[in-house]
Amino acid sequence: MQTHLTVRNVLTMFSASLKGISQVLLIENAITGFIVLVAISLYSVPLSIMTFMSSFIGTVTAKIGGADEKLISQGLFSFNSALSGLATVIFLEGNHLWIIALFSAVIATVFTAGMMHLTKPFDVPSLTFPYIILTWFLLTASHRLQFFEVINSLVPQGLAYWHLDISGPVDLISGFTKSIGQIYFLDNIWSGLLILAGIFFASKRLGMLAIYATIISLLAAYYLGSEHSLLSSGLYGYNAILTIFAVSDVFHNKKKLIPFSGLLAAVISVLITASLDSFLLPYGLPPLTMPFVLSTWLFLFARKLMPNL
């Protein structure tokens, strides 16, 4: 009987860890999480292993910490851990890489619990803010601590010497599919398509919203004069997708203007992405999903006074 319970607990934690991977998309679905894991494997098998291990560590940490079992089973304590593990492997290098990644998964869970408590009185979700802050801390720590080694592309640059280059062709098909993949740092067309399939598996509505958000973000970024290389890589689309998910579906209030406010929030995320790119350039930091967090918080707080949004 005791063995049965142990196996059952392990399976429950396994499911919660897969849901943690899907919760990055604001979706609670273990199968979608597994599909995303396969999509990451298409890009990099080690990266997929790190993603699941980080999510599982987040689940275990929350359980040891005595967190609410329902929230744990929904994957709400592990999605920031999954992203933290991913970001660490993507942006750091060196012999201690995996140690840092797995440790960050633990800390991300603690940060998540803290932010959940801080944002609860305001009735807004903490979203991916814990992972963002943790990742920025790790990256900036590299300037003072030799243990952390940042990749060369994240070297701080002077904004005064920055030159906007909008030359070159725009690959809209690449930009569309990679926008979806970039939610998990995947610069891969097939990975993006597979993740889109995983979204449709969980919700046809979210699948269509992902398509709408990707199209409108690409158009907005193009007509506002974005760098074509960033457009083709999907770096202006992934925040828009998450934003429209949050504003138009997951945290909606069933008002008539919700679809339009979601599209508007998606466009605003494009502007915030460009702004944060410039703001963070001197620090050598990527914007991550901060545009999604800021745009979503803006609309959710606005609804307190403008409920039709």
Side-chain angles (χ1 to χ4, degrees):
M1 184 67 177
Q2 185 65 36
T3 303
H4 174 70
L5 288 175
T6 302
V7 171
R8 182 180 178 182
N9 289 338
V10 171
L11 290 176
T12 300
M13 294 175 68
F14 188 86
S15 174
S17 301
L18 289 176
K19 287 180 181 178
I21 296 170
S22 72
Q23 283 285 7
V24 174
L25 298 163
L26 305 173
I27 294 172
E28 182 192 342
N29 191 297
I31 295 178
T32 296
F34 179 75
I35 293 173
V36 170
L37 210 54
V38 174
I40 298 174
S41 297
L42 291 178
Y43 183 77
S44 168
V45 173
L47 204 59
S48 68
I49 295 173
M50 174 55 69
T51 303
F52 181 77
M53 288 179 63
S54 298
S55 186
F56 189 79
I57 286 174
T59 302
V60 173
T61 303
K63 196 169 184 65
I64 293 174
D68 187 291
E69 289 290 340
K70 182 179 179 181
L71 297 180
I72 294 175
S73 66
Q74 292 174 335
L76 293 176
F77 278 104
S78 51
F79 71 95
N80 276 297
S81 296
L83 284 173
S84 294
L86 263 171
T88 302
V89 173
I90 294 290
F91 297 122
L92 292 179
E93 57 187 8
N95 297 328
H96 309 296
L97 182 60
W98 279 63
I99 297 174
I100 297 171
L102 297 177
F103 182 72
S104 70
V106 175
I107 301 303
T109 308
V110 178
F111 275 30
T112 298
M115 281 304 303
M116 280 183 173
H117 181 70
L118 287 175
T119 58
K120 188 175 182 180
F122 302 102
D123 193 28
V124 295
S126 58
L127 303 173
T128 54
F129 187 75
Y131 129 78
I132 296 167
I133 292 300
L134 175 59
T135 302
W136 284 351
F137 281 172
L138 291 176
L139 295 181
T140 51
S142 67
H143 301 299
R144 298 289 182 178
L145 302 173
Q146 194 175 16
F147 192 80
F148 303 96
E149 300 178 42
V150 175
I151 59 175
N152 293 331
S153 60
L154 289 184
V155 174
Q157 302 179 53
L159 188 58
Y161 302 99
W162 178 258
H163 175 66
L164 180 65
D165 183 8
I166 59 172
S167 61
V170 178
D171 189 339
L172 293 178
I173 295 178
S174 174
F176 178 88
T177 54
K178 289 183 179 181
S179 290
I180 302 166
Q182 287 287 2
I183 296 173
Y184 294 90
F185 303 102
L186 307 179
D187 187 16
N188 183 281
I189 291 176
W190 298 109
S191 294
L193 288 174
L194 191 54
I195 292 173
L196 181 61
I199 295 172
F200 267 105
F201 176 84
S203 169
K204 291 182 180 179
R205 173 179 167 82
L206 287 179
M208 292 308 300
L209 286 175
I211 292 174
Y212 297 151
T214 305
I215 292 173
I216 196 170
S217 63
L218 284 173
L219 291 176
Y222 178 79
Y223 284 106
L224 289 174
S226 165
E227 291 175 88
H228 293 177
S229 60
L230 298 184
L231 275 173
S232 300
S233 297
L235 293 176
Y236 275 106
Y238 70 97
N239 277 293
I241 296 170
L242 294 176
T243 301
I244 201 171
F245 281 4
V247 175
S248 289
D249 187 271
V250 180
F251 306 110
H252 71 89
N253 55 8
K254 299 181 181 179
K255 298 292 183 179
K256 292 182 178 179
L257 295 178
I258 290 300
F260 301 101
S261 61
L263 288 172
L264 179 59
V267 172
I268 290 176
S269 75
V270 173
L271 298 174
I272 296 176
T273 298
S275 177
L276 275 178
D277 261 332
S278 298
F279 181 79
L280 296 172
L281 192 67
Y283 304 99
L285 296 175
L288 304 174
T289 52
M290 196 61 176
F292 148 62
V293 172
L294 292 178
S295 187
T296 299
W297 278 353
L298 173 66
F299 274 79
L300 294 186
F301 276 121
R303 281 179 185 166
K304 307 295 183 183
L305 298 178
M306 302 172 66
N308 288 334
L309 282 177

